[in-house]
Amino acid sequence: MIKKAIIPAAGYGTRSLPVTKVIPKEMFPIGGKPAIHYIVEEAIQSGIEEILIVVSKWKNIIVDYFDASLELEAFLEKNNKQHLLKYTEMPDVHIQYVRQPYSRGLGDAILLGKRFVGNEPFAVLLPDDIIINSKTPALAQLVETYNTRNASVIGLNQVNPELVKKYGVIDGTSISSNVYKLNGIVEKPQSNPPSNLAVIGRYLFDPAIFSFLEQVTPDQSNEIQLTEAISKMLGENECYGELIDGDRFDIGSDDEYTELVKKFSHPKGKK
Ligand code: G1P
């Protein structure tokens, strides 16, 4: 059973500036809840019991959000608004935090979870990617393949060929209708992509990934790329990709965020 998950939430959110100067992308509202709330719920529904959120120093609002608000609760009780208290309830899960002191990319953020994870398999959920309308929560869809193959599994989405340059893209051999064995993986290929199978932000990793992350040298932007570590891991360990059922929205894209918000309405009965 995979019980631990890392949620990297330390990025600058440059695509969504200027609002992300003060409101982290992970806190963008969707139907009255911030985006990261949905990610935490998905993790819990997928069997996760402990979560590490990687934050940076301008992301304290995320820590505040998952904390209790005693003043607010007291105010609601005193003013006979107990029915609103349920909106202050947070997901029932153990969450801890670590700060990423330097913006050194996704791979570096995950490396900060090495002690938290120890020597067990773990999940990574990227909070940019909100996946809805699936029968099984997106992360949970990967669990069976992890268990039967005993190897890392990456969530995939088939995308239009002109969009592959925005994603990690795999070279895979199909082993069933929705599962591929990875032969290779490249980050944001600007030409000659190996396929149109793009990585979406759900991963189940064997803890061996940490030793490969430690071998990655920073790219031109001084970032440690997770994709590079996966590519190195393929030399020694098997890794699988699985098409995720559901509709995926990238909240860092204005259009997709707007489309997603339209699908949710604010919870009723608040007055
Ligand atoms: C990251 C990963 C990329 C993946 C994407 C999914 O990129 O590096 O491989 O396809 O998330 O959202 P980012 O969106 O952080 O640039």
Side-chain angles (χ1 to χ4, degrees):
M1 286 296 272
I2 297 179
K3 301 281 182 208
K4 292 183 179 174
I6 299 178
I7 302 179
Y12 282 113
T14 46
R15 282 185 298 159
S16 306
L17 281 167
V19 68
T20 42
K21 272 176 79 183
V22 290
I23 301 175
K25 189 171 43 181
E26 296 80 12
M27 294 302 290
F28 283 6
I30 303 165
K33 292 189 222 167
I36 197 165
H37 191 125
Y38 294 92
I39 300 291
V40 168
E41 281 178 344
E42 182 191 318
I44 297 169
Q45 286 158 9
S46 305
I48 297 297
E49 293 177 358
E50 282 184 73
I51 294 175
L52 178 75
I53 304 183
V54 185
V55 291
S56 47
K57 69 165 173 275
W58 58 92
K59 303 266 180 136
N60 294 337
I61 190 173
I62 297 177
V63 183
D64 291 344
Y65 178 74
F66 287 108
D67 199 356
S69 175
L70 299 180
E71 296 92 335
L72 175 61
E73 287 163 30
F75 172 84
L76 293 175
E77 269 178 48
K78 193 167 152 221
N79 290 281
N80 213 15
K81 293 191 169 180
Q82 284 90 338
H83 66 290
L84 295 181
L85 278 172
K86 68 179 159 88
Y87 295 106
T88 67
E89 277 169 18
M90 285 297 121
D92 184 17
V93 67
H94 179 78
I95 302 181
Q96 48 184 290
Y97 303 87
V98 63
R99 266 194 183 174
Q100 186 183 29
Y102 303 100
S103 280
R104 287 195 186 136
L106 179 58
D108 178 65
I110 293 169
L111 258 179
L112 290 170
K114 188 178 172 190
R115 278 165 181 265
F116 163 80
V117 164
N119 196 26
E120 26 181 312
F122 66 102
V124 172
L125 300 98
L126 303 189
D128 281 10
D129 292 325
I130 305 284
I131 301 158
I132 61 168
N133 294 338
S134 61
K135 271 195 236 114
T136 308
L139 184 69
Q141 294 176 35
L142 306 181
V143 170
E144 194 186 325
T145 304
Y146 187 94
N147 289 339
T148 51
R149 300 279 163 184
N150 200 18
S152 300
V153 190
I154 294 172
L156 300 175
N157 203 2
Q158 221 145 15
V159 297
N160 289 333
E162 67 272 17
L163 294 178
V164 289
K165 55 165 94 75
K166 290 170 61 184
Y167 300 102
V169 180
I170 70 145
D171 168 16
T173 305
S174 168
I175 58 164
S176 73
S177 62
N178 59 346
V179 180
Y180 297 80
K181 184 170 183 292
L182 264 64
N183 305 314
I185 185 167
V186 278
E187 183 67 10
K188 304 190 175 83
Q190 296 306 302
S191 58
N192 303 320
S195 71
N196 68 341
L197 297 168
V199 175
I200 51 175
R202 301 294 183 272
Y203 309 81
L204 294 179
F205 282 121
D206 185 280
I209 190 71
F210 288 115
S211 63
F212 298 100
L213 276 167
E214 282 163 348
Q215 293 166 30
V216 175
T217 44
D219 66 8
Q220 331 72 300
S221 318
N222 205 25
E223 295 198 351
I224 307 276
Q225 291 293 347
L226 173 61
T227 298
E228 188 61 31
I230 298 170
S231 174
K232 286 184 187 296
M233 184 168 72
L234 287 176
E236 292 180 34
N237 298 41
E238 286 183 352
C239 184
Y240 293 83
E242 179 160 353
L243 288 169
I244 287 192
D245 166 51
D247 299 330
R248 170 215 185 244
F249 294 83
D250 171 5
I251 59 161
S253 142
D254 285 349
D255 289 348
E256 291 187 30
Y257 172 65
T258 309
E259 205 188 326
L260 177 62
V261 167
K262 280 194 207 141
K263 294 188 183 290
F264 285 77
S265 58
H266 205 63
K268 299 241 176 353
K270 283 201 157 188
K271 288 195 180 134

Short mmCIF file of all heavy atoms in Angstrom, two decimals, residues 39 54-56 124 134 155 162 179 193 201 207 219 224 228 230 248 260 270:
data_model
loop_
_atom_site.label_atom_id
_atom_site.label_comp_id
_atom_site.label_asym_id
_atom_site.label_seq_id
_atom_site.Cartn_x
_atom_site.Cartn_y
_atom_site.Cartn_z
N ILE A 39 -6.64 18.38 -4.67
CA ILE A 39 -5.50 17.47 -4.80
C ILE A 39 -5.36 16.63 -3.53
O ILE A 39 -5.14 15.41 -3.58
CB ILE A 39 -4.20 18.29 -5.05
CG1 ILE A 39 -4.32 19.12 -6.34
CG2 ILE A 39 -2.96 17.40 -5.06
CD1 ILE A 39 -4.34 18.32 -7.61
N VAL A 54 5.49 20.67 -0.39
CA VAL A 54 6.72 21.45 -0.52
C VAL A 54 6.32 22.88 -0.86
O VAL A 54 5.69 23.12 -1.90
CB VAL A 54 7.65 20.87 -1.61
CG1 VAL A 54 8.98 21.64 -1.65
CG2 VAL A 54 7.89 19.38 -1.38
N VAL A 55 6.64 23.80 0.03
CA VAL A 55 6.23 25.19 -0.16
C VAL A 55 7.46 26.08 -0.31
O VAL A 55 8.59 25.60 -0.22
CB VAL A 55 5.36 25.69 1.03
CG1 VAL A 55 4.01 24.99 1.04
CG2 VAL A 55 6.08 25.51 2.36
N SER A 56 7.23 27.35 -0.54
CA SER A 56 8.32 28.32 -0.53
C SER A 56 7.87 29.49 0.32
O SER A 56 6.73 29.50 0.78
CB SER A 56 8.65 28.75 -1.95
OG SER A 56 7.45 29.07 -2.62
N VAL A 124 3.50 11.22 -6.08
CA VAL A 124 3.69 12.66 -6.31
C VAL A 124 2.45 13.14 -7.06
O VAL A 124 2.04 12.53 -8.05
CB VAL A 124 4.97 12.95 -7.13
CG1 VAL A 124 5.03 14.42 -7.53
CG2 VAL A 124 6.22 12.55 -6.35
N SER A 134 -13.66 11.28 -13.39
CA SER A 134 -13.18 9.90 -13.55
C SER A 134 -13.89 9.03 -12.52
O SER A 134 -14.20 9.51 -11.43
CB SER A 134 -11.66 9.83 -13.34
OG SER A 134 -11.33 10.26 -12.04
N GLY A 155 1.47 8.82 -14.69
CA GLY A 155 0.19 9.10 -15.34
C GLY A 155 0.40 9.73 -16.71
O GLY A 155 1.27 10.58 -16.89
N GLU A 162 0.59 19.06 -31.53
CA GLU A 162 1.17 20.41 -31.37
C GLU A 162 1.37 20.81 -29.91
O GLU A 162 2.03 21.79 -29.61
CB GLU A 162 0.36 21.48 -32.14
CG GLU A 162 -1.02 21.76 -31.64
CD GLU A 162 -2.09 20.83 -32.23
OE1 GLU A 162 -1.75 19.75 -32.79
OE2 GLU A 162 -3.27 21.18 -32.13
N VAL A 179 -1.72 0.72 -20.72
CA VAL A 179 -0.43 0.71 -20.00
C VAL A 179 0.73 0.54 -20.99
O VAL A 179 0.64 -0.25 -21.93
CB VAL A 179 -0.39 -0.41 -18.93
CG1 VAL A 179 0.95 -0.41 -18.19
CG2 VAL A 179 -1.52 -0.23 -17.92
N PRO A 193 9.16 14.61 -31.19
CA PRO A 193 8.71 13.94 -29.95
C PRO A 193 8.61 12.44 -30.17
O PRO A 193 8.25 12.00 -31.27
CB PRO A 193 7.33 14.55 -29.69
CG PRO A 193 6.87 15.03 -31.02
CD PRO A 193 8.09 15.44 -31.78
N GLY A 201 0.49 15.17 -14.13
CA GLY A 201 1.12 15.23 -12.80
C GLY A 201 0.69 14.23 -11.76
O GLY A 201 0.34 14.59 -10.64
N PRO A 207 11.23 4.14 -4.22
CA PRO A 207 12.15 5.11 -3.59
C PRO A 207 13.51 5.20 -4.28
O PRO A 207 14.27 6.14 -4.04
CB PRO A 207 12.28 4.61 -2.14
CG PRO A 207 11.76 3.22 -2.14
CD PRO A 207 10.79 3.11 -3.27
N ASP A 219 19.73 21.92 -15.24
CA ASP A 219 19.68 22.32 -16.66
C ASP A 219 20.06 23.80 -16.81
O ASP A 219 20.50 24.43 -15.83
CB ASP A 219 18.28 22.03 -17.23
CG ASP A 219 17.19 22.88 -16.59
OD1 ASP A 219 17.51 23.80 -15.82
OD2 ASP A 219 16.00 22.61 -16.89
N ILE A 224 16.61 21.12 -11.45
CA ILE A 224 16.77 19.66 -11.47
C ILE A 224 15.47 19.10 -12.04
O ILE A 224 14.41 19.26 -11.44
CB ILE A 224 16.97 19.11 -10.03
CG1 ILE A 224 18.10 19.84 -9.29
CG2 ILE A 224 17.14 17.60 -10.04
CD1 ILE A 224 19.47 19.34 -9.54
N GLU A 228 14.52 13.96 -16.10
CA GLU A 228 15.91 13.50 -16.27
C GLU A 228 16.20 12.33 -15.32
O GLU A 228 16.85 11.35 -15.70
CB GLU A 228 16.82 14.71 -15.98
CG GLU A 228 18.28 14.52 -16.27
CD GLU A 228 18.57 14.24 -17.72
OE1 GLU A 228 17.82 14.71 -18.58
OE2 GLU A 228 19.55 13.50 -17.97
N ILE A 230 13.96 10.25 -14.12
CA ILE A 230 13.21 9.07 -14.59
C ILE A 230 13.98 8.43 -15.74
O ILE A 230 14.12 7.20 -15.81
CB ILE A 230 11.78 9.47 -15.04
CG1 ILE A 230 10.99 10.04 -13.87
CG2 ILE A 230 11.05 8.27 -15.65
CD1 ILE A 230 9.66 10.69 -14.25
N ARG A 248 -8.60 16.42 -17.71
CA ARG A 248 -7.51 17.11 -17.01
C ARG A 248 -7.51 18.59 -17.35
O ARG A 248 -7.65 18.96 -18.52
CB ARG A 248 -6.19 16.48 -17.43
CG ARG A 248 -5.00 17.25 -16.97
CD ARG A 248 -3.91 17.16 -18.00
NE ARG A 248 -2.71 17.81 -17.50
CZ ARG A 248 -2.19 18.88 -18.07
NH1 ARG A 248 -2.76 19.41 -19.12
NH2 ARG A 248 -1.10 19.41 -17.58
N LEU A 260 -12.60 25.15 -16.17
CA LEU A 260 -12.80 24.30 -14.98
C LEU A 260 -13.74 24.98 -13.98
O LEU A 260 -14.66 24.35 -13.46
CB LEU A 260 -11.44 24.00 -14.33
CG LEU A 260 -11.46 23.18 -13.04
CD1 LEU A 260 -12.06 21.80 -13.28
CD2 LEU A 260 -10.05 23.03 -12.48
N LYS A 270 -25.31 28.85 1.97
CA LYS A 270 -24.33 29.44 2.87
C LYS A 270 -24.87 30.57 3.72
O LYS A 270 -24.27 30.92 4.70
CB LYS A 270 -23.14 29.94 2.07
CG LYS A 270 -22.22 28.83 1.65
CD LYS A 270 -20.88 29.38 1.34
CE LYS A 270 -19.81 28.33 1.45
NZ LYS A 270 -18.50 28.87 1.35
#
